[in-house]
Amino acid sequence: MQDVKNQLRELLGRYKEVEVRELSRVSAARELKAITDKEKIVALTPEFLQLKLDSQSRLAQAEQSLIQAIVNYNLAIMRLERAKGTLLEFDRISLDRAPIARPEDDSNKIRFLDHTYSLTK
């Protein structure tokens, strides 16, 4: 029970992290758009170009951080489901049914989009 509580706490923290990283990414994207819009009316000095490059770098870093936060959130979901003992159910995996026996006449055929195709010529 303690492991489930810890994993739930971790999951909620990772969710908040995704929200924060998304806000950071949106802010960096707005900054770059403002600089790009300003580029049309301002002289292209080395300082301005450096400002634009720095802004692009911040946006790329914010996007990488967001992706990492999403990965961490998905891992936290998996850990919570594992701690609850419901990981297989969460992934819709069932181990309690026997495989379906195939009739002998269907052994070299496949069904696709309501059509039957023979695998032999």
Coordinates of all heavy atoms in Angstrom, one line a residue, residues 15-86:
Y15 N 3.1 14.9 -13.4 CA 2.0 15.6 -14.2 C 2.2 17.1 -14.1 O 2.1 17.8 -15.1 CB 0.6 15.2 -13.7 CG -0.5 15.8 -14.4 CD1 -0.9 15.3 -15.7 CD2 -1.2 16.9 -13.9 CE1 -1.9 15.9 -16.4 CE2 -2.2 17.5 -14.6 CZ -2.6 17.0 -15.8 OH -3.6 17.6 -16.5
K16 N 2.5 17.6 -12.9 CA 2.7 19.0 -12.7 C 3.9 19.5 -13.5 O 4.0 20.6 -14.0 CB 2.9 19.3 -11.2 CG 1.6 19.2 -10.4 CD 0.7 20.3 -10.7 CE -0.5 20.3 -9.8 NZ -1.6 21.2 -10.2
E17 N 5.0 18.6 -13.5 CA 6.2 18.9 -14.3 C 5.9 19.1 -15.7 O 6.4 20.0 -16.4 CB 7.2 17.8 -14.1 CG 8.5 18.1 -14.8 CD 9.5 17.0 -14.7 OE1 9.2 16.0 -14.1 OE2 10.7 17.2 -15.2
V18 N 5.0 18.3 -16.3 CA 4.6 18.4 -17.7 C 3.9 19.7 -17.9 O 4.2 20.4 -18.9 CB 3.7 17.2 -18.1 CG1 3.1 17.5 -19.5 CG2 4.5 15.9 -18.1
E19 N 3.1 20.1 -17.0 CA 2.4 21.4 -17.2 C 3.4 22.6 -17.2 O 3.3 23.5 -18.0 CB 1.4 21.6 -16.0 CG 0.2 20.7 -16.1 CD -0.8 21.0 -14.9 OE1 -0.3 21.4 -13.8 OE2 -2.0 20.7 -15.1
V20 N 4.3 22.5 -16.2 CA 5.3 23.6 -16.1 C 6.2 23.7 -17.4 O 6.5 24.7 -17.9 CB 6.2 23.4 -14.9 CG1 7.4 24.3 -14.9 CG2 5.3 23.6 -13.6
R21 N 6.6 22.5 -17.9 CA 7.5 22.4 -19.1 C 6.7 22.9 -20.3 O 7.3 23.6 -21.2 CB 8.0 21.0 -19.3 CG 8.8 20.5 -18.2 CD 10.1 21.2 -18.0 NE 10.9 20.6 -17.0 CZ 12.0 21.1 -16.5 NH1 12.4 22.2 -16.9 NH2 12.6 20.5 -15.5
E22 N 5.4 22.6 -20.4 CA 4.6 23.1 -21.5 C 4.5 24.7 -21.5 O 4.7 25.3 -22.5 CB 3.3 22.5 -21.5 CG 2.3 23.0 -22.6 CD 2.8 22.8 -24.0 OE1 3.7 22.0 -24.3 OE2 2.2 23.5 -24.9
L23 N 4.3 25.2 -20.3 CA 4.3 26.7 -20.2 C 5.6 27.3 -20.6 O 5.7 28.3 -21.3 CB 3.9 27.1 -18.7 CG 2.5 26.8 -18.3 CD1 2.3 27.1 -16.8 CD2 1.5 27.6 -19.2
S24 N 6.7 26.7 -20.2 CA 8.0 27.1 -20.6 C 8.2 27.1 -22.1 O 8.8 28.0 -22.7 CB 9.1 26.3 -19.9 OG 10.4 26.6 -20.3
R25 N 7.8 26.0 -22.7 CA 7.9 25.9 -24.2 C 7.1 26.9 -24.9 O 7.5 27.6 -25.8 CB 7.4 24.5 -24.6 CG 7.7 24.2 -26.1 CD 6.9 23.1 -26.6 NE 5.4 23.4 -26.6 CZ 4.8 24.2 -27.4 NH1 5.4 24.8 -28.4 NH2 3.5 24.4 -27.3
V26 N 5.9 27.2 -24.4 CA 5.0 28.2 -25.0 C 5.6 29.6 -24.9 O 5.6 30.3 -25.9 CB 3.6 28.1 -24.4 CG1 2.8 29.3 -24.8 CG2 2.9 26.9 -24.8
S27 N 6.2 29.8 -23.7 CA 6.9 31.1 -23.5 C 8.0 31.3 -24.5 O 8.2 32.4 -25.1 CB 7.3 31.2 -22.1 OG 8.0 32.4 -21.9
A28 N 8.9 30.3 -24.6 CA 10.0 30.3 -25.5 C 9.6 30.5 -27.0 O 10.2 31.2 -27.7 CB 10.9 29.1 -25.3
A29 N 8.5 29.8 -27.3 CA 8.0 29.9 -28.7 C 7.5 31.4 -29.0 O 7.7 31.9 -30.1 CB 6.9 28.9 -29.0
R30 N 6.8 31.9 -28.0 CA 6.3 33.3 -28.2 C 7.5 34.3 -28.3 O 7.4 35.3 -29.0 CB 5.4 33.7 -27.0 CG 4.1 33.1 -27.0 CD 3.2 33.5 -25.9 NE 1.9 32.8 -25.9 CZ 1.1 32.7 -24.9 NH1 1.5 33.1 -23.7 NH2 -0.1 32.0 -25.1
E31 N 8.5 34.1 -27.5 CA 9.7 34.9 -27.5 C 10.3 34.9 -28.9 O 10.6 35.9 -29.5 CB 10.7 34.5 -26.5 CG 12.0 35.3 -26.5 CD 13.1 34.7 -25.7 OE1 12.9 33.6 -25.2 OE2 14.1 35.4 -25.6
L32 N 10.5 33.7 -29.4 CA 11.1 33.5 -30.8 C 10.2 34.2 -31.8 O 10.7 34.8 -32.8 CB 11.3 32.1 -31.1 CG 11.9 31.8 -32.5 CD1 13.3 32.5 -32.6 CD2 12.1 30.3 -32.7
K33 N 8.9 34.0 -31.7 CA 8.0 34.6 -32.7 C 8.1 36.2 -32.7 O 8.1 36.8 -33.7 CB 6.5 34.2 -32.5 CG 5.6 34.8 -33.5 CD 4.2 34.3 -33.4 CE 3.2 34.8 -34.4 NZ 3.6 36.0 -35.2
A34 N 8.2 36.7 -31.5 CA 8.3 38.2 -31.3 C 9.6 38.6 -32.0 O 9.7 39.7 -32.7 CB 8.3 38.6 -29.9
I35 N 10.7 37.9 -31.8 CA 12.0 38.3 -32.3 C 11.9 38.1 -33.9 O 12.4 39.0 -34.6 CB 13.1 37.4 -31.7 CG1 13.3 37.8 -30.3 CG2 14.4 37.6 -32.5 CD1 14.3 36.9 -29.5
T36 N 11.3 37.1 -34.4 CA 11.2 36.9 -35.8 C 10.3 38.0 -36.4 O 10.7 38.5 -37.5 CB 10.6 35.5 -36.1 OG1 11.3 34.5 -35.5 CG2 10.5 35.2 -37.6
D37 N 9.3 38.4 -35.7 CA 8.4 39.5 -36.2 C 9.2 40.8 -36.3 O 9.1 41.6 -37.2 CB 7.2 39.7 -35.4 CG 6.2 38.5 -35.6 OD1 6.4 37.7 -36.6 OD2 5.3 38.4 -34.7
K38 N 10.0 41.0 -35.2 CA 10.9 42.2 -35.1 C 12.0 42.2 -36.2 O 12.4 43.3 -36.6 CB 11.5 42.3 -33.8 CG 12.1 43.6 -33.4 CD 12.6 43.6 -32.0 CE 13.3 44.9 -31.7 NZ 13.9 45.0 -30.3
E39 N 12.4 41.1 -36.7 CA 13.4 41.0 -37.7 C 13.1 41.7 -39.0 O 14.0 42.2 -39.6 CB 13.7 39.5 -37.9 CG 14.8 39.2 -38.9 CD 15.0 37.7 -39.1 OE1 14.0 36.9 -38.9 OE2 16.1 37.3 -39.4
K40 N 11.8 41.8 -39.3 CA 11.3 42.4 -40.5 C 11.5 43.9 -40.5 O 11.6 44.5 -41.5 CB 9.9 42.1 -40.7 CG 9.6 40.6 -40.9 CD 8.2 40.3 -41.0 CE 7.9 38.8 -41.0 NZ 6.5 38.4 -40.8
I41 N 11.6 44.5 -39.3 CA 11.7 46.0 -39.2 C 13.0 46.5 -38.6 O 13.2 47.7 -38.6 CB 10.5 46.5 -38.4 CG1 10.4 45.9 -37.0 CG2 9.2 46.3 -39.1 CD1 9.4 46.5 -36.1
V42 N 13.8 45.6 -38.1 CA 15.1 46.0 -37.5 C 16.3 45.6 -38.3 O 16.2 44.6 -39.0 CB 15.2 45.4 -36.1 CG1 16.5 45.7 -35.4 CG2 14.0 45.7 -35.2
A43 N 17.3 46.4 -38.3 CA 18.5 46.0 -39.0 C 19.1 44.7 -38.4 O 19.1 44.5 -37.2 CB 19.6 47.2 -38.9
L44 N 19.7 43.9 -39.3 CA 20.2 42.6 -38.9 C 21.7 42.8 -38.4 O 22.6 42.6 -39.2 CB 20.1 41.6 -40.0 CG 18.7 41.2 -40.5 CD1 18.8 40.3 -41.6 CD2 17.9 40.7 -39.3
T45 N 21.8 43.2 -37.2 CA 23.1 43.4 -36.6 C 23.6 42.0 -36.0 O 22.8 41.1 -35.8 CB 23.1 44.4 -35.5 OG1 22.2 44.0 -34.5 CG2 22.6 45.8 -36.0
P46 N 24.9 41.9 -35.8 CA 25.4 40.7 -35.1 C 24.7 40.4 -33.8 O 24.4 39.3 -33.4 CB 26.9 40.9 -35.0 CG 27.2 41.9 -36.1 CD 26.0 42.8 -36.2
E47 N 24.4 41.5 -33.0 CA 23.8 41.4 -31.7 C 22.4 40.8 -31.9 O 21.9 40.0 -31.1 CB 23.8 42.7 -31.0 CG 25.1 43.2 -30.6 CD 25.9 43.9 -31.7 OE1 25.2 44.3 -32.7 OE2 27.1 44.1 -31.6
F48 N 21.6 41.3 -32.9 CA 20.3 40.8 -33.1 C 20.3 39.4 -33.5 O 19.5 38.6 -33.1 CB 19.6 41.7 -34.2 CG 18.1 41.3 -34.4 CD1 17.2 41.7 -33.5 CD2 17.8 40.5 -35.4 CE1 15.8 41.3 -33.7 CE2 16.5 40.1 -35.6 CZ 15.5 40.5 -34.7
L49 N 21.2 39.0 -34.4 CA 21.3 37.6 -34.9 C 21.6 36.7 -33.7 O 21.1 35.6 -33.6 CB 22.3 37.5 -36.0 CG 21.9 38.2 -37.3 CD1 23.0 38.0 -38.3 CD2 20.6 37.6 -37.8
Q50 N 22.5 37.2 -32.8 CA 22.8 36.4 -31.6 C 21.6 36.2 -30.7 O 21.4 35.1 -30.2 CB 24.0 37.0 -30.8 CG 24.5 36.2 -29.7 CD 25.0 34.9 -30.1 OE1 25.8 34.8 -31.0 NE2 24.6 33.8 -29.4
L51 N 20.8 37.3 -30.6 CA 19.6 37.2 -29.8 C 18.6 36.2 -30.4 O 18.0 35.4 -29.6 CB 18.9 38.6 -29.7 CG 17.6 38.7 -29.0 CD1 17.8 38.5 -27.5 CD2 17.0 40.1 -29.2
K52 N 18.5 36.2 -31.7 CA 17.6 35.2 -32.4 C 18.2 33.8 -32.2 O 17.4 32.9 -31.9 CB 17.5 35.5 -33.8 CG 16.6 34.6 -34.6 CD 16.4 35.0 -36.0 CE 15.5 34.1 -36.7 NZ 15.4 34.4 -38.2
L53 N 19.4 33.6 -32.3 CA 20.0 32.2 -32.1 C 19.8 31.8 -30.7 O 19.5 30.6 -30.4 CB 21.5 32.2 -32.5 CG 21.8 32.4 -34.0 CD1 23.3 32.5 -34.2 CD2 21.3 31.1 -34.7
D54 N 20.0 32.7 -29.7 CA 19.8 32.3 -28.3 C 18.4 31.9 -28.1 O 18.1 31.0 -27.3 CB 20.3 33.4 -27.4 CG 21.8 33.7 -27.4 OD1 22.5 32.7 -27.8 OD2 22.2 34.7 -27.0
S55 N 17.5 32.7 -28.7 CA 16.0 32.4 -28.5 C 15.7 31.0 -29.1 O 14.9 30.2 -28.5 CB 15.2 33.5 -29.2 OG 13.8 33.2 -29.0
Q56 N 16.2 30.7 -30.3 CA 16.0 29.4 -30.9 C 16.6 28.3 -30.0 O 16.0 27.2 -29.9 CB 16.7 29.3 -32.3 CG 15.9 30.2 -33.3 CD 16.7 30.3 -34.6 OE1 17.9 30.1 -34.7 NE2 16.0 30.6 -35.7
S57 N 17.7 28.5 -29.4 CA 18.3 27.6 -28.5 C 17.4 27.3 -27.3 O 17.3 26.2 -26.8 CB 19.7 28.0 -28.1 OG 20.3 27.1 -27.2
R58 N 16.9 28.4 -26.7 CA 16.0 28.3 -25.6 C 14.7 27.5 -25.9 O 14.3 26.6 -25.1 CB 15.6 29.6 -25.0 CG 16.7 30.3 -24.2 CD 16.3 31.5 -23.4 NE 16.0 32.6 -24.3 CZ 16.9 33.5 -24.8 NH1 18.2 33.3 -24.5 NH2 16.5 34.4 -25.6
L59 N 14.2 27.7 -27.1 CA 13.0 27.0 -27.5 C 13.4 25.5 -27.7 O 12.6 24.6 -27.2 CB 12.5 27.5 -28.9 CG 11.3 26.8 -29.4 CD1 10.1 26.7 -28.5 CD2 10.9 27.4 -30.8
A60 N 14.5 25.2 -28.3 CA 14.9 23.8 -28.5 C 15.1 23.1 -27.1 O 14.6 22.0 -26.9 CB 16.1 23.7 -29.3
Q61 N 15.7 23.8 -26.2 CA 15.9 23.2 -24.9 C 14.6 23.0 -24.1 O 14.4 22.0 -23.5 CB 16.8 24.1 -24.0 CG 17.1 23.6 -22.6 CD 17.8 22.3 -22.7 OE1 18.7 22.1 -23.5 NE2 17.4 21.4 -21.8
A62 N 13.6 24.0 -24.3 CA 12.3 23.8 -23.7 C 11.6 22.7 -24.3 O 10.9 21.9 -23.5 CB 11.5 25.1 -23.9
E63 N 11.7 22.4 -25.6 CA 11.0 21.3 -26.2 C 11.6 20.0 -25.7 O 10.9 19.0 -25.5 CB 11.1 21.4 -27.7 CG 10.2 22.5 -28.3 CD 10.3 22.8 -29.8 OE1 11.3 22.3 -30.3 OE2 9.4 23.4 -30.3
Q64 N 12.9 19.9 -25.6 CA 13.6 18.7 -25.1 C 13.2 18.4 -23.7 O 12.9 17.3 -23.3 CB 15.1 18.9 -25.2 CG 15.6 18.8 -26.6 CD 17.1 19.0 -26.6 OE1 17.7 19.5 -25.7 NE2 17.7 18.7 -27.8
S65 N 13.1 19.5 -22.8 CA 12.6 19.3 -21.4 C 11.2 18.8 -21.4 O 10.9 18.0 -20.5 CB 12.8 20.6 -20.7 OG 14.1 21.0 -20.6
L66 N 10.4 19.3 -22.3 CA 9.0 18.9 -22.3 C 8.9 17.4 -22.7 O 8.1 16.6 -22.0 CB 8.1 19.7 -23.2 CG 6.7 19.3 -23.5 CD1 5.9 19.3 -22.2 CD2 6.0 20.1 -24.5
I67 N 9.6 17.0 -23.7 CA 9.6 15.6 -24.1 C 10.1 14.7 -23.0 O 9.5 13.7 -22.7 CB 10.4 15.4 -25.4 CG1 9.7 16.1 -26.5 CG2 10.7 13.9 -25.6 CD1 10.6 16.2 -27.8
Q68 N 11.1 15.1 -22.3 CA 11.6 14.3 -21.1 C 10.6 14.2 -20.0 O 10.4 13.2 -19.4 CB 12.9 14.9 -20.6 CG 13.6 14.0 -19.6 CD 13.9 12.6 -20.1 OE1 14.6 12.5 -21.1 NE2 13.5 11.6 -19.4
A69 N 9.9 15.3 -19.8 CA 8.9 15.3 -18.7 C 7.7 14.4 -19.1 O 7.2 13.7 -18.3 CB 8.3 16.8 -18.5
I70 N 7.4 14.4 -20.4 CA 6.3 13.5 -20.8 C 6.7 12.0 -20.7 O 6.0 11.1 -20.3 CB 5.9 13.8 -22.3 CG1 5.2 15.1 -22.3 CG2 5.0 12.7 -22.9 CD1 4.9 15.7 -23.7
V71 N 8.0 11.7 -21.0 CA 8.5 10.4 -20.9 C 8.5 10.0 -19.4 O 8.0 8.9 -19.0 CB 10.0 10.3 -21.4 CG1 10.6 9.0 -21.0 CG2 9.9 10.4 -22.9
N72 N 8.9 10.9 -18.5 CA 8.9 10.6 -17.1 C 7.5 10.4 -16.5 O 7.3 9.5 -15.7 CB 9.6 11.8 -16.3 CG 11.1 11.8 -16.6 OD1 11.7 10.9 -17.0 ND2 11.6 13.0 -16.3
Y73 N 6.5 11.1 -17.1 CA 5.1 11.0 -16.7 C 4.6 9.6 -17.1 O 4.0 8.9 -16.3 CB 4.3 12.1 -17.3 CG 2.8 11.9 -17.1 CD1 2.3 12.1 -15.8 CD2 2.0 11.6 -18.1 CE1 0.9 12.0 -15.6 CE2 0.6 11.5 -17.9 CZ 0.1 11.7 -16.7 OH -1.3 11.5 -16.4
N74 N 4.9 9.2 -18.3 CA 4.5 7.9 -18.8 C 5.1 6.7 -18.0 O 4.5 5.7 -17.7 CB 4.8 7.7 -20.3 CG 3.7 8.4 -21.1 OD1 2.6 8.2 -21.0 ND2 4.2 9.4 -21.9
L75 N 6.4 6.9 -17.6 CA 7.1 5.9 -16.8 C 6.4 5.9 -15.4 O 6.3 4.8 -14.8 CB 8.6 6.2 -16.6 CG 9.4 6.0 -17.9 CD1 10.8 6.5 -17.7 CD2 9.4 4.5 -18.3
A76 N 6.0 7.0 -14.9 CA 5.3 7.1 -13.6 C 4.0 6.4 -13.6 O 3.6 5.7 -12.7 CB 5.1 8.5 -13.1
I77 N 3.3 6.5 -14.7 CA 2.0 5.7 -14.9 C 2.3 4.2 -14.9 O 1.6 3.5 -14.2 CB 1.3 6.1 -16.2 CG1 0.8 7.5 -16.2 CG2 0.2 5.1 -16.5 CD1 0.3 8.0 -17.5
M78 N 3.3 3.8 -15.6 CA 3.7 2.4 -15.6 C 4.0 1.9 -14.2 O 3.6 0.8 -13.8 CB 4.8 2.2 -16.6 CG 5.2 0.7 -16.7 SD 6.5 0.1 -15.6 CE 7.8 1.3 -15.7
R79 N 4.8 2.7 -13.5 CA 5.2 2.3 -12.1 C 4.0 2.2 -11.2 O 4.0 1.3 -10.3 CB 6.3 3.2 -11.6 CG 7.6 3.1 -12.2 CD 8.7 3.9 -11.5 NE 9.8 4.1 -12.4 CZ 10.1 5.2 -13.0 NH1 9.4 6.3 -12.8 NH2 11.1 5.3 -13.8
L80 N 3.1 3.1 -11.3 CA 1.9 3.1 -10.5 C 1.1 1.9 -10.8 O 0.6 1.2 -9.9 CB 1.0 4.3 -10.7 CG -0.3 4.4 -9.9 CD1 -0.1 4.3 -8.4 CD2 -1.1 5.6 -10.4
E81 N 0.9 1.6 -12.0 CA 0.1 0.4 -12.4 C 0.8 -0.9 -11.9 O 0.1 -1.8 -11.5 CB -0.1 0.3 -13.9 CG -1.0 1.4 -14.5 CD -2.4 1.4 -13.9 OE1 -3.0 0.3 -13.6 OE2 -3.0 2.5 -13.7
R82 N 2.1 -0.9 -12.0 CA 2.8 -2.1 -11.5 C 2.7 -2.2 -10.0 O 2.5 -3.3 -9.5 CB 4.3 -2.0 -11.9 CG 5.1 -3.2 -11.5 CD 6.5 -3.1 -12.0 NE 7.1 -2.0 -11.4 CZ 8.2 -1.4 -11.8 NH1 8.9 -1.9 -12.9 NH2 8.8 -0.3 -11.3
A83 N 2.7 -1.1 -9.3 CA 2.6 -1.2 -7.8 C 1.2 -1.6 -7.4 O 1.0 -2.3 -6.5 CB 2.9 0.2 -7.2
K84 N 0.2 -1.2 -8.2 CA -1.2 -1.6 -8.0 C -1.4 -3.1 -8.4 O -2.4 -3.7 -8.0 CB -2.2 -0.7 -8.7 CG -2.2 0.7 -8.2 CD -3.3 1.6 -8.9 CE -3.8 1.1 -10.2 NZ -4.7 2.1 -10.9
G85 N -0.5 -3.6 -9.2 CA -0.7 -5.0 -9.7 C -1.7 -5.1 -10.8 O -2.2 -6.1 -11.1
T86 N -1.8 -4.0 -11.5 CA -2.8 -3.9 -12.6 C -2.1 -3.5 -14.0 O -2.8 -3.1 -14.9 CB -3.9 -2.9 -12.3 OG1 -3.3 -1.6 -12.1 CG2 -4.7 -3.3 -11.2

